[in-house]
Amino acid sequence: MLKTGTERVKRGMAEMQKGGVIMDVINAEQARIAEEAGAVAVMALERVPSDIRAAGGVARMADPTIVEEVLNAVSIPVMAKARIGHIVEARVLEAMGVDYIDESEVLTPADEVFHLLKSDYTVPFVCGARDLGEASRRIGEGASMLRTKGEPGTGNIVEAVRHMRMIQGQIRKVVAMSEDELMTEAKNLGAPFEVLLQIKKAGKLPVVNFAAGGIATPADAALMMQLGADGVFVGSGIFKSENPEKFARAIVEATTHYQDYKLIAELSKGLGTPMKGIEISTLAQGERMQERGW
Amino acid sequence: MLKIGVLALQGAIQEHVKAIEASGAQALGVKRVEELEELDGLVMPGGESTAMRRLIDRYQFLEPLKEFAKNKPVFGTCAGLILMAKRIQGQDTAHLELIDMTVERNAFGRQVDSFEADLMIHGVGEDFTGVFIRAPFIVEVGPEVEILSKHNDRIVAAKQGHFLCAAFHPELTDDYRLHQFFVKMVQANKEVVA
């Protein structure tokens, strides 16, 4: 008996990405550069987050032409973003054969109350989270992979660090609690009890958790690995840098050897100016993508 | 105790470490060439074979791995199987070229086609759950290669001398029979060498 779309197959796909870098690309050429540099997957987009930020207006699923172009260009997995709660964008991407869908706050939400019921799909989903409550709700809905939300398109690591520290700290707390304290913790976090129970028993999240949102240098990538990320997403950082090939390779190596500081020093030499970046406190509430989703 | 390494450049490393330890051997992640020295055997995990190959080249792992494989057992799953093949369909070059076989990458389709299926593995057992994720399969094998398992007439596990490979992911299940099989291969090899 052959079964597709099982929890194990969907979560397992993310397990295979561990220790790797997933890169945002907007065309076939960038996708090839990413693959050549050692990316474990690419995220096909119409615009990288920093350009979405600059352009303003409503950000939607990419033009299927771009997604198709990227699917045909590389042999590594291809991910694409659908708006939060946009059932049809997600189904369209699934029908196109995309390997993973990011139900993403980088795009303008289509539903301000409900996220997708991700367990309904054959294709696996990755979702952003700022804390364990949000992470557990997404797992409850069927997300097969998580990532920190960070603050996309800013080139500022501070929010990704905050979210990773928060999630790891809350996991440690849940693991240390006795089982009869978990229901109250579930209520406080707004987390499904069953998911917390699983976390307590396993001592870790039941799905892979990557870092995303603001990684701009090899040292940023290594920092997130040290804080417990299973891998990293790099969005605007690579193709907004002066030498994308070199930059992409440096990020990949720094992620693998995140505790080899001599190597990271070598990798960081002469990379040119990284993206300028944005100080978070200068962003108005409405400009903070991490506030999208619930 | 036997020491078995897991190539730890990228991929599902912890799962193999757990499975090896549950099979009674010591497991070590291998990120550097010099870490190969003390090992009795090596697992090449699942992950992205293109990404792994880039890192193998960047850190001059290719020749030391080939040298290691001359007299030590190697077990590759999914991407690891691709790294071990002598020939890859549609590509002019292969990687470690350890097993006399031709493989096709992503041969069952994209992620939406990834699946679980029950397998019979010769010498290992029945009712083995094969987890296939964007998996390759073995198109053809040379005379020295023993076919261990097929799914719908496609070869998904094989053995050649002290090399073992699987297109699926035994490390994603709690069934450690295939890892135990490999640990026995490592044990037997060590006894012969000693």
Side-chain angles (χ1 to χ4, degrees):
Chain A
M1 191 53 202
L2 185 150
K3 290 168 285 184
T4 58
T6 61
E7 190 177 271
R8 188 147 57 185
V9 156
K10 295 201 287 186
R11 290 180 177 181
M13 160 76 201
E15 300 284 348
M16 298 310 139
Q17 303 267 296
K18 283 192 296 192
V21 182
I22 300 169
M23 302 182 190
D24 278 359
V25 299
I26 58 165
N27 55 42
E29 189 201 343
Q30 290 188 354
R32 278 188 215 106
I33 291 172
E35 181 174 46
E36 192 56 36
V40 290
V42 289
M43 177 78 71
L45 294 166
E46 202 156 315
R47 283 197 286 256
V48 295
S50 65
D51 287 338
I52 289 175
R53 207 173 263 293
V58 174
R60 309 178 178 89
M61 170 184 85
D63 181 333
T65 320
I66 295 173
V67 178
E68 209 166 70
E69 188 186 315
V70 173
L71 281 169
N72 292 332
V74 291
S75 66
I76 54 177
V78 175
M79 301 187 172
K81 289 186 196 288
R83 280 180 271 179
I84 292 172
H86 204 307
I87 300 165
V88 173
E89 283 189 354
R91 286 295 182 193
V92 166
L93 292 172
E94 181 180 51
M96 290 181 69
V98 160
D99 296 299
Y100 235 91
I101 297 176
D102 185 356
E103 186 185 20
S104 178
E105 68 281 3
V106 168
L107 307 181
T108 313
D111 191 323
E112 295 198 321
V113 184
F114 303 111
H115 279 254
L116 295 167
L117 184 62
K118 293 162 277 288
S119 52
D120 250 12
Y121 295 70
T122 305
V123 68
F125 280 82
V126 55
C127 286
R130 288 167 300 179
D131 56 45
L132 191 59
E134 205 172 6
S136 303
R137 291 193 291 279
R138 298 295 87 80
I139 294 169
E141 291 155 357
S144 308
M145 178 183 189
L146 294 170
R147 54 172 175 75
T148 58
K149 283 182 162 175
E151 190 52 48
T154 60
N156 189 339
I157 196 69
V158 68
E159 295 300 303
V161 167
R162 189 193 316 282
H163 301 160
M164 187 56 78
R165 287 247 184 223
M166 176 67 86
I167 291 171
Q168 299 291 353
Q170 288 171 318
I171 291 172
R172 285 194 292 272
K173 188 175 169 205
V174 163
V175 171
M177 278 178 155
S178 71
E179 218 169 294
D180 59 5
E181 295 170 325
L182 273 191
M183 186 57 87
T184 302
E185 187 66 2
K187 178 184 170 231
N188 293 340
L189 292 173
F193 174 77
E194 293 70 24
V195 175
L196 291 193
L197 191 61
Q198 258 182 30
I199 293 169
K200 178 174 171 50
K201 285 185 174 157
K204 61 185 186 71
L205 288 168
V207 300
V208 164
N209 186 23
F210 270 45
I215 294 162
T217 66
D220 285 349
L223 169 64
M224 295 314 298
M225 294 299 288
Q226 280 199 17
L227 292 177
D230 290 313
V232 298
F233 282 89
V234 185
S236 320
I238 291 170
F239 291 99
K240 288 284 168 191
S241 70
E242 278 176 26
N243 185 342
E245 284 94 342
K246 195 173 171 192
F247 194 90
R249 281 201 304 270
I251 292 256
V252 168
E253 289 185 51
T255 303
T256 302
H257 295 285
Y258 60 91
Q259 286 174 314
D260 188 337
Y261 308 114
K262 275 187 188 161
L263 176 75
I264 296 170
E266 281 307 309
L267 296 171
S268 306
K269 283 180 186 166
L271 285 180
T273 329
M275 59 187 287
K276 182 160 174 282
I278 301 171
E279 159 59 34
I280 303 297
S281 61
T282 64
L283 287 176
Q285 191 81 12
E287 294 172 333
R288 289 162 62 110
M289 291 173 173
Q290 61 174 287
E291 308 288 339
R292 297 165 167 178
W294 28 94
Chain B
M1 195 187 252
L2 293 173
K3 281 187 185 171
I4 298 181
V6 181
L7 189 63
L9 296 174
Q10 190 273 316
I13 296 143
Q14 270 317 308
E15 291 69 15
H16 273 296
V17 166
K18 196 176 152 206
I20 291 165
E21 286 174 348
S23 306
Q26 189 188 345
L28 300 138
V30 175
K31 279 196 180 193
R32 286 165 211 293
V33 169
E34 55 271 25
E35 288 166 348
L36 288 171
E37 271 170 32
E38 288 175 42
L39 302 177
D40 302 307
L42 182 72
V43 171
M44 296 208 286
E48 286 304 319
S49 61
T50 53
M52 278 189 218
R53 176 59 195 267
R54 296 290 169 271
L55 291 163
I56 284 174
D57 288 348
R58 209 85 44 79
Y59 299 103
Q60 286 90 45
F61 247 114
L62 197 69
E63 286 310 315
L65 282 173
K66 282 185 176 175
E67 197 54 41
F68 178 89
K70 278 185 183 160
N71 40 38
K72 301 271 177 73
V74 180
F75 175 25
T77 61
C78 196
L81 168 145
I82 294 167
L83 293 176
M84 293 176 82
K86 275 226 166 96
R87 295 168 299 275
I88 302 169
Q89 221 158 48
Q91 292 180 210
D92 298 332
T93 56
H95 308 288
L96 296 171
E97 303 179 17
L98 303 178
I99 301 182
D100 186 12
M101 62 181 180
T102 306
V103 299
E104 187 178 338
R105 295 181 58 207
N106 303 334
F108 293 97
R110 304 200 70 97
Q111 172 59 18
V112 287
D113 307 305
S114 293
F115 62 97
E116 291 182 31
D118 285 341
L119 301 173
M120 210 290 277
I121 308 176
H122 291 287
V124 175
E126 289 184 15
D127 297 323
F128 195 99
T129 304
V131 182
F132 294 82
I133 297 174
R134 288 171 44 93
F137 63 70
I138 302 164
V139 181
E140 55 175 15
V141 296
E144 308 282 298
V145 180
E146 190 185 336
I147 294 169
L148 297 186
S149 186
K150 283 186 177 186
H151 168 73
N152 286 350
D153 283 335
R154 285 157 165 175
I155 308 166
V156 293
K159 181 176 179 289
Q160 180 180 6
H162 57 283
F163 301 135
L164 179 67
C165 67
F168 50 92
H169 293 283
E171 75 279 14
L172 292 183
T173 68
D174 295 329
D175 186 340
Y176 300 129
R177 283 178 289 171
L178 201 54
H179 282 87
Q180 286 160 3
F181 183 80
F182 180 63
V183 170
K184 275 187 204 146
M185 283 171 61
V186 175
Q187 180 71 50
N189 185 71
K190 195 174 183 180
E191 279 161 13
V192 170
V193 174

